[in-house]
Amino acid sequence: MIKNKYKVVIFDLDGTLADTVASIANSVNKSLALVNLPPLPIDVFNHFAGNGADELIKKSLKASGDENLVHFNAVTKSFREIFERECMYKVKPFDGIVPLLQALKEKGIKIAVLSNKIHERTVDVVKKLFDDRYIDYIQGQVDGMPRKPDPRGALNIIEKFHVTSKDCIYVGDTDTDMKTGKNANMFTIGVLWGFREKEELVEHGADAIVEHPTEILRYF
């Protein structure tokens, strides 16, 4: 591995930088309750999250018994309202993330966050968890920007930093993240402390797998 080859690192947010599964479960289950559907256990959200709010709601409704998505519009509306108020519910950085960000900045690496979470909530979480000097650019889900694994969000970020895909590492915890990095022709690192298992990350093209955040520093 050539040291100092990479100039930019793009991180996924949920399950990569931050432990957010309780927050997601809280807002979804409160929304389901409003249409008299049963709550779901927190662990199912490890597999429901990661592909945007609409997919999250569709999977949650089907798991709660609404196979035909009769309540999709109502639950989506209430989810967005509840999540706006409570998106920080039990959210915290994973152990080792803050030291990793500090070390990357000391090395002069640009740091971006790319998430399928609603953009405003992505900004809320990042700014409340991390010092402003750590994160150089934040991109969540917005109209007009296809959600991951479409590479356009990632390519937009490197364009803003005036670098190429070969200058960038993409870090995430799901198949969606590995596909995003691969679609953008970036070196991909899959993390094992997030939502999914090693087999999924390997199957979808992870160039490297790490068990602890500080292991990422070996690639810089």
Side-chain angles (χ1 to χ4, degrees):
M1 179 69 62
I2 300 173
K3 297 297 183 181
N4 300 320
K5 172 184 176 183
Y6 300 105
K7 301 174 183 177
V8 174
V9 57
I10 300 175
F11 287 101
D12 170 54
L13 178 58
D14 299 309
T16 301
L17 291 178
D19 185 353
T20 59
V21 68
S23 169
I24 295 166
N26 172 67
S27 292
V28 171
N29 281 334
K30 285 185 175 180
S31 301
L32 293 174
L34 293 175
V35 292
N36 298 313
L37 289 173
L40 299 170
I42 190 171
D43 61 326
V44 305
F45 293 98
N46 287 330
H47 293 275
F48 288 1
N51 290 296
D54 287 354
E55 289 302 311
L56 169 67
I57 299 304
K58 288 175 182 177
K59 291 175 182 177
S60 299
L61 285 170
K62 289 180 180 180
S64 288
D66 183 4
E67 289 286 343
N68 296 319
L69 305 179
V70 172
H71 299 292
F72 177 76
N73 289 337
V75 171
T76 298
K77 181 176 183 294
S78 58
F79 170 77
R80 288 176 179 270
E81 292 170 351
I82 294 168
F83 203 50
E84 181 176 357
R85 299 192 305 268
E86 304 182 26
C87 71
M88 291 303 297
Y89 177 79
K90 293 188 177 181
V91 170
K92 60 184 179 180
F94 286 105
D95 290 344
I97 288 295
V98 171
L100 168 63
L101 298 179
Q102 290 173 332
L104 288 170
K105 294 312 292 183
E106 289 170 3
K107 292 176 180 290
I109 304 300
K110 294 292 186 182
I111 299 174
V113 173
L114 178 62
S115 177
N116 278 340
K117 187 192 287 288
I118 299 164
H119 179 70
E120 291 79 7
R121 305 293 78 76
T122 301
V123 172
D124 285 345
V125 172
V126 172
K127 287 189 174 295
K128 288 175 182 175
L129 288 186
F130 305 113
D131 190 308
D132 282 345
R133 63 192 171 90
Y134 293 150
I135 310 298
D136 298 290
Y137 189 80
I138 304 169
Q139 180 65 65
Q141 185 180 359
V142 295
D143 293 339
M145 180 67 72
R147 60 184 172 84
K148 300 182 295 183
D150 190 289
R152 274 173 279 185
L155 295 175
N156 177 62
I157 289 171
I158 62 171
E159 182 177 328
K160 291 184 180 299
F161 290 142
H162 306 291
V163 298
T164 70
S165 295
K166 294 187 181 301
D167 297 317
C168 185
I169 287 180
Y170 188 95
V171 182
D173 68 305
T174 69
D175 60 330
T176 297
D177 293 311
M178 298 305 99
K179 291 175 185 176
T180 302
K182 287 291 142 190
N183 289 341
N185 295 314
M186 296 174 181
F187 186 87
T188 56
I189 297 179
V191 308
L192 297 182
W193 56 82
F195 290 163
R196 307 290 171 79
E197 295 76 28
K198 180 177 181 179
E199 290 73 22
E200 177 177 307
L201 300 173
V202 171
E203 179 182 350
H204 293 282
D207 293 303
I209 302 288
V210 297
E211 296 182 353
H212 189 272
T214 53
E215 292 178 46
I216 292 170
L217 291 173
R218 71 178 63 160
Y219 298 96
F220 295 92

